[in-house]
């Protein structure tokens, strides 16, 4: 009986995973690469991640063309990508990457094209780099991240800007709420990339966050930052 129950639980979890991340099918796009064989050029970008390597994304990253970037709401999403229908260039297997930047409109990254601009070492895992650009199939997958969600606090006493990264699960954030130890829960506004802001005086209060991802799941991290938190510091919350 226990074995049957375990099997049912696994089946339900598998159906949930397929429904949320669309792993039952693939979509078509293209892929290009930038930088050198060491993955140089992964710092900064339109998501606001300041040091990709230190912020646990490494070189397994991609810049997204405008339709996939979704005005920055695509930041943090994870994709599985495989070379497709280009036998002279394709290599077997697939890669998993996190979205960390925008591929600026122009050429193959112009709307409505869906393109993944990969780091060179990641591109080289699925295709010969001489190809330049390739046809690919992609699908959303769950993001497996070590440790909790990270919150970098910036701004001034009347304006708090929070960079949120290392988000597991769906990875891309759809909404954020914040609570000071002396305030109620307040919705934050999407500012740019993975940055969210609130116009409030929160200095001297411990801070809690509710992060909701694109699949509708939420995680609440209470008292992430103590009452003596400082601008420029990074604090760690719970994880999906």
């Amino acid at each position: 009986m226990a074995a049957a129950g375990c099997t049912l639980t696994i089946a339900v979890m598998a159906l949930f995973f397929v429904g949320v991340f669309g792993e039952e099918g693939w979509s078509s796009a293209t892929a290009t690469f930038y930088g050198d064989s060491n993955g140089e050029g992964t710092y900064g970008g339109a998501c606001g991640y300041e040091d990709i390597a230190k912020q646990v994304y490494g070189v397994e990253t991609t810049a997204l063309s405008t339709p996939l970037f979704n005005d920055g709401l695509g930041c943090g999403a994870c994709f599985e990508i495989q070379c497709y229908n280009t036998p002279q260039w394709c290599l077997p297997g697939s890669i998993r990457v996190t979205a960390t930047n925008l591929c600026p409109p122009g050429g193959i990254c112009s709307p409505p094209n869906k393109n993944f601009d990969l780091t060179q070492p990641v591109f080289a895992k699925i295709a010969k780099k001489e190809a330049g650009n390739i046809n690919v199939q992609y699908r959303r997958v769950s993001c497996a991240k070590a440790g909790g969600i990270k919150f970098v606090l910036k701004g001034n006493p009347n304006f708090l800007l929070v960079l949120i990264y290392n988000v597991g699960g769906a990875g891309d954030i759809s909404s954020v709420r914040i609570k000071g130890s002396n305030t109620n829960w307040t919705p934050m506004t999407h500012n740019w990339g993975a940055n969210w802001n609130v116009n409030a005086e929160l200095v001297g209060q411990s801070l809690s966050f509710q992060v909701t991802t694109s699949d509708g799941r939420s995680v609440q991290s209470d008292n992430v930052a103590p009452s003596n938190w400082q601008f420029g510091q990074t604090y760690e919350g719970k994880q999906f």
Side-chain angles (χ1 to χ4, degrees):
M1 193 70 172
C6 181
T7 301
L8 178 60
T9 300
I10 292 172
V12 170
M13 290 178 66
L15 286 173
F16 174 79
F17 191 77
V18 167
V20 170
F21 299 108
E23 293 216 357
E24 76 284 0
W26 298 79
S27 298
S28 298
T30 55
T32 50
F33 69 86
Y34 67 91
D36 62 20
S37 59
N38 295 316
E40 289 296 327
T42 58
Y43 298 98
C47 287
Y49 306 131
E50 296 162 354
D51 188 328
I52 304 296
K54 288 184 179 179
Q55 291 173 331
V56 306
Y57 297 120
V59 297
E60 286 75 30
T61 61
T62 183
L64 304 176
S65 60
T66 302
L68 295 168
F69 188 71
N70 191 24
D71 292 326
L73 292 175
C75 293
C78 295
F79 299 87
E80 182 177 9
I81 302 171
Q82 60 185 14
C83 187
Y84 174 69
N85 201 29
T86 319
Q88 68 270 37
W89 302 121
C90 289
L91 298 176
S94 64
I95 55 173
R96 293 196 174 206
V97 293
T98 301
T100 60
N101 204 348
L102 168 69
C103 183
I108 201 168
C109 280
S110 294
N113 296 334
K114 293 182 178 180
N115 185 72
F116 295 90
D117 198 23
L118 305 164
T119 61
Q120 186 181 140
V122 173
F123 181 94
K125 291 181 179 180
I126 58 172
K128 301 173 183 177
K129 66 180 182 180
E130 291 79 9
N133 67 77
I134 55 172
N135 296 318
V136 298
Q137 290 185 318
Y138 73 94
R139 59 184 178 181
R140 287 288 303 276
V141 293
S142 180
C143 300
K145 303 301 179 187
I149 297 173
K150 304 296 197 305
F151 302 87
V152 184
L153 308 184
K154 307 175 184 180
N156 59 59
N158 301 307
F159 174 85
L160 182 63
L161 183 70
V162 183
L163 169 66
I164 304 175
Y165 70 95
N166 198 47
V167 180
D172 52 343
I173 301 169
S174 60
S175 65
V176 182
R177 296 206 303 165
I178 188 172
K179 182 184 184 303
S181 51
N182 299 324
T183 69
N184 295 319
W185 285 103
T186 302
M188 299 190 75
T189 300
H190 180 233
N191 192 292
W192 66 278
N195 290 277
W196 296 74
N197 74 267
V198 64
N199 293 298
E201 297 179 10
L202 295 169
V203 173
Q205 300 183 52
S206 60
L207 304 179
S208 301
F209 294 92
Q210 289 179 348
V211 176
T212 301
T213 45
S214 62
D215 59 354
R217 297 176 62 205
S218 298
V219 63
Q220 180 171 314
S221 300
D222 294 323
N223 303 313
V224 170
S227 58
N228 63 343
W229 61 265
Q230 300 292 317
F231 291 110
Q233 296 299 306
T234 302
Y235 301 90
E236 183 172 348
K238 294 182 179 179
Q239 185 60 273
F240 285 94

